[in-house]
Amino acid sequence: MIPATMKRTTLSAILLLAAAMPAYAHVGIGTTSSFTSGFSHPLSGLDHMTVMIAVGLWAALKGGKAVLAWPLAFVGVMLAGGALGMAHVPVPLVEPGILASVVALGLLVALAVDLPVSAGVAIIGMFALFHGHAHGTEVPENAGGLEYMAGFAVATAALHAVGIAAGLGLGARFRSLARVAGGACAAAGVGLVFGVL
């Protein structure tokens, strides 16, 4: 049975996402053919940073196997999505999916939603596919893109580690602070949806 607050929160998120205009925050931005540019890209956008840290925070809230499984799932599926983007395989709703990831992962942290590790892998993997595909499509046809994606993967894993380290370092105080951070992530996502941020 799904609690009423979860139903309302989910419905609100769906309505916000339905009203979303694409952010176009990814395609054609910056150099996409070196490790350095790949590494710096996740550090240059609010959507990237909030999602990557939120994955780490949510994993730390869950604990156990999720601490490794969820970040690894994100990085692995993101790389697969990047390969699809570089191969020009279309994936629908990439930009709305990226915006949805900011709001949804923020809400999952803010509400401290406790899901099985496999369900978390599925949710995180879906969002990672969108992020990876967006970045794979940025790679010019005359560049291999492997260095760029390697840099992007390393920076993504580092941001996940920041979220996990914050959770493990704060101990018992972490849950309330993580939930506040999750709320801030969701609010940032709403700001991105409506073009305020």
Side-chain angles (χ1 to χ4, degrees), residues 54-64 66-67 70 108-114 163-164 167-168 174-179 182:
V55 167
L57 288 171
W58 194 34
L61 280 172
K62 175 66 176 172
V67 172
W70 290 355
L108 289 167
V109 173
L111 299 172
V113 176
D114 187 10
I164 293 167
L168 299 178
F174 168 65
R175 291 192 76 80
S176 59
L177 291 173
R179 293 181 76 177

Side-chain angles (χ1 to χ4, degrees), residues 148-175:
Y148 174 76
M149 291 306 289
F152 194 80
V154 169
T156 296
L159 288 169
H160 292 328
V162 167
I164 293 167
L168 299 178
L170 291 172
R173 295 171 293 176
F174 168 65
R175 291 192 76 80

Side-chain angles (χ1 to χ4, degrees), residues 93-177:
L93 304 173
V94 169
E95 287 294 330
I98 290 169
L99 293 173
S101 72
V102 181
V103 176
L105 286 165
L107 288 173
L108 289 167
V109 173
L111 299 172
V113 176
D114 187 10
L115 295 177
V117 173
S118 59
V121 164
I123 291 168
I124 287 167
M126 176 186 65
F127 290 136
L129 181 71
F130 294 134
H131 282 266
H133 189 274
H135 298 294
T137 59
E138 294 175 339
V139 177
E141 294 207 19
N142 60 351
L146 294 180
E147 287 183 48
Y148 174 76
M149 291 306 289
F152 194 80
V154 169
T156 296
L159 288 169
H160 292 328
V162 167
I164 293 167
L168 299 178
L170 291 172
R173 295 171 293 176
F174 168 65
R175 291 192 76 80
S176 59
L177 291 173

